[in-house]
Amino acid sequence: MPPLLRLRDPTTLLPSLAAASHLRALHAHLLVSGRLASPSHLAAFLASLAASNHLAYARLVLPRRPATLLAHNALLRALARGPRPGLAFAAFRDLPLPPDHYSLNFLVRAAAALAASAAEGRPAVCTEVNAKLQAVSAHGAAVRCGHAADPHVQSGVLSMYAALGDVAAARAAFAEIACPDVVCVTAMVAALAAGGDVDAARDLFDGMPQRDHVAWSAMIAGYVHVGRSREALMLFDEMLSAGTTVGEATLVSVLTACAQMGALDRGKWVHWYAGSRGMQMSVKLGTALVDMYSKCGAVVTAMEVFESMAERNVYTWTSAVSGLAMNGMGTECLQLFKRMESAGIQPNGVSFVAVLGGCSMAGLVDEGRACFDSMDKYGVDPWKEHYGCMVDLYGRAGRLDDAINFINAMPMEPHEGVWGALLNASRIHNRVDLGKYALDKLLAIESENDAAHVLLSNIYAESQNWKGVCRVRGMMKAKGVKKVPGWSTIEVDGKVHEFFAGSKSHPRYNEIELMLVEMNRRLRLQGYTANTREVLFDIEEEEKEGAISLHSEKLALAFGLIALPEDVEIRIVKNVRVCRDCHDYTKLISKVFNREIVMRDRNRFHHFKGGECSCGDYW
DNA sequence: ATAGGGTTAG
């Protein structure tokens, strides 16, 4: 029987341990049975202590046992995975034995976790500067200790630099690897994609001698990361053809791609596929589904998935809150947010962005203000985005004085989002004076903001100030400000069709043109006339390349009427905001053709039915 | 006897 560990009653040392009676019981059991002398049992015990946040207790136990790397590595691992990965560095420095490749691996993982914290904007855990220092330090330690050639350490170093966003460092580290295995190449593919160079990632991926499902998944995620969702879905099709196993991570990325594109049919197929493969509904998969359904305008289904989930975290709740907000269901959004609070989920900065957006859409000014004020209670410091939301909240509701007072009381320099919100509010409420003021401020920060110029042009147009419109056009020309080309997409039979303003390149353009004529004929019978004022002044945030009847959403709408059965809703996704004329036009189409039309624009959804829109003409 | 790459909300 090995000697028992002598300890004072741990509860007197660590009051917090009193709550964890099972740990004390476990400790006692290990002591009495003598198993604490077994390195593997000790390691497991240390790991469970560290994982349950009883670090001080772990530190107390560890030095009293014979030093083994196994035990110390267990602690390192637990620290690296824990809430404060920085602690692994101190533990590494204090190792009583020379570190092995396991120790280095855990150290590198700790540095990667710090980088992730910094990237997620949690400076309390780690600042960006510190993350860089720690990364270099961990990499240096690996080299110094002679473990830099270990494949596990190598892949860790690559993902660490990827998490830091330092592609150059990742490239340099990758170049040092004589024979990178599939794991290291995949880590490099991910690092390149995370750094924005997806094409380089694709080249590396194409050159891989063998690819497993993780490699495919990394490449698909890379496309999604930079918003190239069409290519992500094409690659997923290739992956299916190649017969590679499809895991949950792949489906999550594919769902994100569907969400970006508004590809509801593809998203539904993924949902079905996951079920047919007997995959359990994990938090991540469920959250991705909620997000996908929301962003495809199928908010009812999104909520059904949400309600059916066995486990939900802050991502899940925030995704649902945000989904209700973007679908214009402000009251429900606020209710769900309150449910989240009651469920004991701590809202974070993103959650507040979501609920403030919902309040703003629904004109719930006082409720939104109360949410903003409650941030303090949750220890969430307002970001510039939250200030932007508040200005939008007051501004949309017509409380422009409150918006301005709010800006003046900001503890930081107002950023472009704040002025943009004020500018938009000025447009909604026809306040040319205020709009000019906001634009001046905005352009002082961002002189080539295309949306800002277009907004000001809209303000002038809506107050019939043609000179002002021409001046803005002149300014844009002089500065070479280019508007983002507008496009609309529509999914038919799982294929996403893309339309640009005035483009005639669709294979079925002849039919589309005939349908446009028919649409215009039937709308004229209803008394509709195109808003020529707005045509003239190009209120649309997209290049005016043809008559107003050729704005991209009208092309998509015409194609939808041709290609989709009558009982199917027409869903259109736009990359910019819908213009007033197209909004009026679509309302009428929904009535005259008796169709439900769902349009997602840059900010929100419009659900058209029977001549009305869910936004109440308020966007 | 400890370890690797890809995955969720703005």
Side-chain angles (χ1 to χ4, degrees):
Chain A
M1 199 71 164
L4 296 182
L5 178 63
R6 276 177 207 282
L7 262 181
R8 283 185 286 152
D9 178 3
T11 46
T12 64
L13 297 170
L14 276 168
S16 69
L17 203 65
S21 57
H22 61 287
L23 280 178
R24 283 190 296 150
L26 179 59
H27 189 190
H29 175 69
L30 290 171
L31 276 171
V32 172
S33 64
R35 293 207 191 119
L36 212 54
S38 136
S40 57
H41 281 106
L42 175 63
F45 183 50
L46 288 169
S48 65
L49 282 175
S52 55
N53 215 9
H54 293 100
L55 282 176
Y57 197 32
R59 285 184 192 284
L60 201 63
V61 175
L62 191 55
R64 293 171 180 254
R65 310 304 308 177
T68 65
L69 262 185
L70 187 66
H72 282 272
N73 285 345
L75 184 65
L76 274 180
R77 180 181 69 151
L79 293 173
R81 291 177 177 181
R84 296 183 58 199
L87 295 173
F89 283 82
F92 181 81
R93 204 183 44 233
D94 296 340
L95 281 177
L97 297 164
D100 63 2
H101 50 294
Y102 287 98
S103 325
L104 266 309
N105 184 32
F106 297 138
L107 187 71
V108 166
R109 304 284 153 194
L114 285 179
S117 295
E120 280 178 31
R122 293 203 303 268
V125 180
C126 187
T127 62
E128 210 166 307
V129 176
N130 197 29
K132 279 196 195 284
L133 289 173
Q134 302 285 56
V136 173
S137 148
H139 191 183
V143 174
R144 203 171 52 244
C145 302
H147 295 297
D150 180 86
H152 291 84
V153 174
Q154 285 169 335
S155 60
V157 166
L158 292 174
S159 41
M160 174 185 80
Y161 284 128
L164 267 185
D166 192 342
V167 188
R171 278 184 195 271
F174 187 67
E176 292 292 310
I177 304 175
C179 258
D181 62 12
V182 62
V183 177
C184 284
V185 181
T186 304
M188 192 61 213
V189 166
L192 289 167
D197 198 347
V198 206
D199 296 316
R202 182 59 191 263
D203 287 343
L204 188 58
F205 175 80
D206 285 340
M208 287 175 80
Q210 84 265 20
R211 304 175 194 131
D212 59 12
H213 72 283
V214 183
W216 282 97
S217 195
M219 192 62 236
I220 291 171
Y223 279 122
V224 174
H225 178 72
V226 296
R228 284 162 63 170
S229 29
R230 180 180 290 271
E231 286 153 286
L233 293 186
M234 278 163 51
L235 197 62
F236 178 57
D237 286 339
E238 276 186 55
M239 180 182 179
L240 290 173
S241 307
T244 314
T245 334
V246 174
E248 182 191 294
T250 309
L251 294 188
V252 169
S253 289
V254 171
L255 283 170
T256 307
C258 294
Q260 279 177 10
M261 292 181 77
L264 179 60
D265 291 344
R266 292 290 299 259
K268 279 181 177 166
W269 181 86
V270 171
H271 191 174
W272 167 84
Y273 181 85
S276 77
R277 305 299 289 255
M279 282 188 198
Q280 35 98 341
M281 179 76 77
S282 71
V283 178
K284 283 184 178 170
L285 187 57
T287 304
L289 282 168
V290 170
D291 181 54
M292 181 278 293
Y293 281 118
S294 297
K295 288 185 178 153
C296 291
V299 69
V300 175
T301 314
M303 293 309 132
E304 282 168 7
V305 172
F306 175 81
E307 296 298 346
S308 76
M309 288 171 66
E311 190 196 340
R312 310 177 188 117
N313 62 17
V314 65
Y315 286 82
T316 320
W317 283 93
T318 303
S319 183
V321 169
S322 169
L324 290 168
M326 72 178 91
N327 281 279
M329 300 171 73
T331 312
E332 293 84 348
C333 168
L334 187 61
Q335 275 172 359
L336 194 72
F337 183 80
K338 290 187 170 157
R339 240 181 89 194
M340 172 180 176
E341 291 179 298
S342 311
I345 304 288
Q346 295 265 324
N348 60 24
V350 181
S351 320
F352 280 104
V353 170
V355 71
L356 290 175
C359 290
S360 188
M361 293 287 180
L364 302 169
V365 180
D366 296 334
E367 293 84 347
R369 177 74 213 207
C371 284
F372 181 82
D373 290 338
S374 75
M375 291 175 69
D376 184 49
K377 189 176 78 190
Y378 291 106
V380 181
D381 286 331
W383 308 333
K384 60 188 198 319
E385 287 84 353
H386 299 112
Y387 289 98
C389 286
M390 289 304 293
V391 173
D392 189 59
L393 178 73
Y394 285 126
R396 269 180 199 281
R399 289 170 57 171
L400 292 157
D401 291 339
D402 287 327
I404 292 161
N405 290 338
F406 189 84
I407 294 175
N408 290 334
M410 279 175 67
M412 58 182 86
E413 199 58 32
H415 69 295
E416 65 278 5
V418 166
W419 297 121
L422 188 64
L423 183 55
N424 190 39
S426 307
R427 178 191 62 87
I428 292 172
H429 299 288
N430 293 315
R431 288 281 301 270
V432 176
D433 53 333
L434 207 53
K436 275 167 66 181
Y437 171 74
L439 185 84
D440 282 345
K441 293 289 194 179
L442 185 49
L443 294 187
I445 305 169
E446 273 192 353
S447 74
E448 294 187 3
N449 185 317
D450 66 318
H453 285 87
V454 174
L455 263 179
L456 184 67
S457 166
N458 293 353
I459 293 171
Y460 282 127
E462 289 187 10
S463 60
Q464 313 205 3
N465 180 342
W466 320 140
K467 268 191 183 167
V469 172
C470 292
R471 206 162 48 239
V472 177
R473 309 304 273 161
M475 266 163 63
M476 292 180 71
K477 208 163 195 175
K479 286 198 227 168
V481 178
K482 284 267 188 295
K483 285 190 294 179
V484 176
W487 49 253
S488 297
T489 60
I490 180 168
E491 186 188 35
V492 173
D493 294 332
K495 187 178 184 308
V496 175
H497 299 254
E498 189 172 46
F499 295 92
F500 288 89
S503 95
K504 303 183 177 183
S505 58
H506 194 273
R508 293 176 69 179
Y509 184 73
N510 287 343
E511 290 168 76
I512 291 169
E513 199 168 25
L514 287 174
M515 178 52 87
L516 282 167
V517 171
E518 173 65 7
M519 286 156 74
N520 290 337
R521 188 186 69 81
R522 287 175 65 177
L523 290 199
R524 265 199 306 277
L525 291 176
Q526 293 283 317
Y528 166 84
T529 50
N531 189 330
T532 49
R533 172 166 65 88
E534 292 185 351
V535 180
L536 193 58
F537 296 103
D538 192 16
I539 193 166
E540 171 80 343
E541 292 177 22
E542 60 186 52
E543 291 293 344
K544 190 181 73 174
E545 294 185 358
I548 199 161
S549 62
L550 291 182
H551 269 167
S552 63
E553 59 266 58
K554 290 185 178 169
L555 293 169
L557 195 48
F559 182 60
L561 287 169
I562 296 166
L564 292 170
E566 283 183 12
D567 56 340
V568 172
E569 64 185 11
I570 296 172
R571 291 177 308 101
I572 293 170
V573 176
K574 276 182 67 67
N575 66 331
V576 294
R577 283 201 356 235
V578 59
C579 79
R580 173 70 60 184
D581 177 72
C582 285
H583 194 264
D584 287 345
Y585 188 93
T586 310
K587 284 201 294 187
L588 269 178
I589 291 283
S590 75
K591 181 176 161 196
V592 173
F593 285 77
N594 192 27
R595 299 289 292 251
E596 285 188 39
I597 300 159
V598 181
M599 195 177 284
R600 183 177 98 188
D601 75 13
R602 192 182 178 76
N603 299 324
R604 61 166 301 155
F605 277 96
H606 301 268
H607 294 259
F608 299 94
K609 188 180 179 183
E612 299 295 324
C613 178
S614 62
C615 78
D617 301 335
Y618 184 71
W619 80 100

